[in-house]
Amino acid sequence: MLKPPQLSTTEAYLWDKVQSGEPLSDEDALSLYNSQNLAFLGALATLLREKLHGKVAYYNRNFHIEPTNICIYECAFCSFARKPGEPGGWEYSPEEIEAIAERYVGTGVTEVHIVGGVHPKRGIEYYADIIRRIKRILPHVHVKAFTAVELKVMCARSRMSYEEGLIALREAGLDSLPGGGAEIFHPDIRNQICATKADASEWLEIHRTAHRLGIPSNATMLYGHIEKYEHRIHHMRLLRELQSETGGFNCFIPLKYRRENNALSHLGEVSIIEDLKNYAVSRLYLHNIPHLKAYWPMIGRVTAQLSLSFGVDDLDGTIDDTTKIYSMAGGEEHPAMTTEELEHLIYSAGYVPLERDSLYRPVRPSPVIA
Ligand code: SF4
């Protein structure tokens, strides 16, 4: 890409740095967050995005299972969790989970994403049984399951180390970990929004253990509430450091705080401009995590489409109206897109759609890219 004309001295310095492949410093990231030049942020993020992925934008065919929303925690930003017996709570039985999996036999889905509340009673054995049942019905589907927050508690309940718990789940058919539960790692913020669940070092240690066992994972960051730019940069620095140690993260997914039905509603929500800025800075700072995802049920279709010009290369998947986490917080009410709709969204933003599996391998031969 040609260097845009009329850049400030700082912008020209950052352009040359990204062009040469040098990692951005924390100060660089802060200066990008404080920039008002959205066009420059988009161009700079696109410079790196196109070095990594050309014009390709990925999507997959997936569905979610949320086994329960009963949770022992009370995170201030959460709209999903319920206490036992509270209206709006659910606990699927293993047979109900099998019935969900059966709906996808022969549909071409390649991934099931399983996360839920941290149940007061269920341990590793229960969740290993669920995975086994799903794999019996959908043997070729990739099981991406359980946040580090859930894993910490289920390992403790089953008196297993992280390693023992992950090995038991892997033997049952676990293929990778999603990136949820990371929120904001910095204790000044974490202690205000989710003080009692797994902290930064526990979250990172569970992902480190998974990577050592050959189980890849993703990482998230919940932004747009009480955190400052410095907290986002600190969060991403810890992820970047773990990635240089293990190389086990496939994808980073910024998650926007949505305000419906939770204890932080008075804060409101950040603007689309802030969303795009955050995608761009994430892409640029996390140079060593290959993929950046805009999770469309949370951000909406239009912003997801725009995000492709701000460093994003993955729009997640078809979903098929199987998740309630963001619809309960003010996201898409019934999130579902056909592969044709996803491809149209990507084409009309000037990118080339490519259906991927959970490890970003093409499901069909790669399209010819101009
Ligand atoms: S965010 Fe997760 S851990 Fe926190 S209350 Fe909601 S379901 Fe429970």
Side-chain angles (χ1 to χ4, degrees), residues 68-83 115-119 147 149-150 180-181 183 193-194 196-198 222 325:
T68 183
N69 66 343
I70 302 299
C71 189
I72 59 174
Y73 296 119
E74 294 180 32
C75 303
F77 55 82
C78 182
S79 313
F80 171 79
R82 297 288 183 276
K83 293 296 168 210
V115 297
V118 181
H119 192 275
T147 65
V149 170
E150 294 170 271
E183 325 310 359
I193 62 171
C194 55
T196 50
K197 70 182 186 184
L222 185 76
I325 292 176

Side-chain angles (χ1 to χ4, degrees), residues 34-87:
N34 284 322
S35 168
Q36 300 304 316
N37 190 347
L38 201 61
F40 172 70
L41 288 173
L44 193 61
T46 300
L47 175 67
L48 181 54
R49 181 233 190 275
E50 294 197 355
K51 262 192 195 182
L52 293 168
H53 309 292
K55 285 285 183 189
V56 163
Y58 297 92
Y59 71 92
N60 74 345
R61 284 187 222 213
N62 61 351
F63 70 103
H64 290 220
I65 296 177
E66 288 159 358
T68 183
N69 66 343
I70 302 299
C71 189
I72 59 174
Y73 296 119
E74 294 180 32
C75 303
F77 55 82
C78 182
S79 313
F80 171 79
R82 297 288 183 276
K83 293 296 168 210
E86 197 182 337

